[in-house]
Amino acid sequence: MTPGINCAKKAKVAFKVHEYQHDASSQSYGLEAAEKLNIPSKRVFKTLVAKLDGATLVVAVVPVDSMLSMKSLAKACAGKKAEMADKLEVQRSTGYVLGGVSPLGQKKALKTVIDESASQFSTIYVSAGRRGLEIELSAADLQSLTRASFFSICQA
């Protein structure tokens, strides 16, 4: 079990775990998950960590087939500017390796923003904390577990 799965178990929310054989040569972990699990890419969400105003780490959860809008993320977090966080900082803060960063069970709870498109699905898929492992749960449960807000944070 990963910290992400343990977080969902402890909270007693409904979830399913989906495992697939990760291909190390894959260019996109999220798109690989959608393809191997045979689900629409709009229902698979990637977890990105950004730095707000050069100081604070924040988490953005967006569909794997979309690009994060740094401007929208900064606005959602009441900041001026957002940029992708350094990978070592991400790993140190979350406890996860890149490609396996889950919004759940992170070492340090970070402000989280989920793209509002997640609310249109009964369930969504996010990393369970390891490459090749996804957790399926409702967007509302993900919001509750991460104390996240919904905001339009994808590039148009």
Side-chain angles (χ1 to χ4, degrees):
M1 290 298 127
T2 66
I5 293 170
N6 290 339
C7 173
K9 266 188 178 175
K10 185 178 174 188
K12 296 184 167 93
V13 299
F15 70 92
K16 290 180 191 164
V17 176
H18 302 272
E19 193 164 8
Y20 60 92
Q21 188 62 46
H22 167 62
D23 178 357
S25 67
S26 180
Q27 296 295 308
S28 168
Y29 301 113
L31 291 174
E32 176 192 27
E35 182 183 313
K36 291 200 172 170
L37 296 173
N38 198 27
I39 48 176
S41 56
K42 292 193 177 323
R43 286 187 60 202
V44 181
F45 285 69
K46 55 189 170 188
T47 306
L48 303 173
V49 180
K51 192 173 257 192
L52 188 65
D53 297 329
T56 309
L57 293 179
V58 295
V59 173
V61 181
V62 297
V64 297
D65 61 359
S66 299
M67 292 283 293
L68 172 64
S69 164
M70 292 297 177
K71 189 174 184 177
S72 297
L73 179 62
K75 183 177 177 184
C77 296
K80 290 181 174 43
K81 182 182 176 197
E83 60 191 1
M84 292 305 295
D86 174 74
K87 72 177 186 176
L88 290 176
E89 212 173 0
V90 171
Q91 290 176 192
R92 214 175 11 255
S93 174
T94 64
Y96 294 116
V97 297
L98 294 188
V101 177
S102 177
L104 300 170
Q106 296 181 358
K107 275 199 314 192
K108 183 179 178 191
L110 301 174
K111 179 176 181 70
T112 301
V113 181
I114 303 168
D115 186 69
E116 64 186 10
S117 67
S119 10
Q120 69 183 297
F121 302 108
S122 57
T123 60
I124 61 170
Y125 296 72
V126 295
S127 174
R130 189 177 85 220
R131 294 174 188 155
L133 196 64
E134 296 285 307
I135 185 168
E136 177 186 3
L137 72 170
S138 75
D141 283 339
L142 179 61
Q143 177 191 30
S144 172
L145 293 173
T146 59
R147 296 185 299 285
S149 55
F150 286 107
F151 203 88
S152 178
I153 55 172
C154 290
Q155 289 182 7

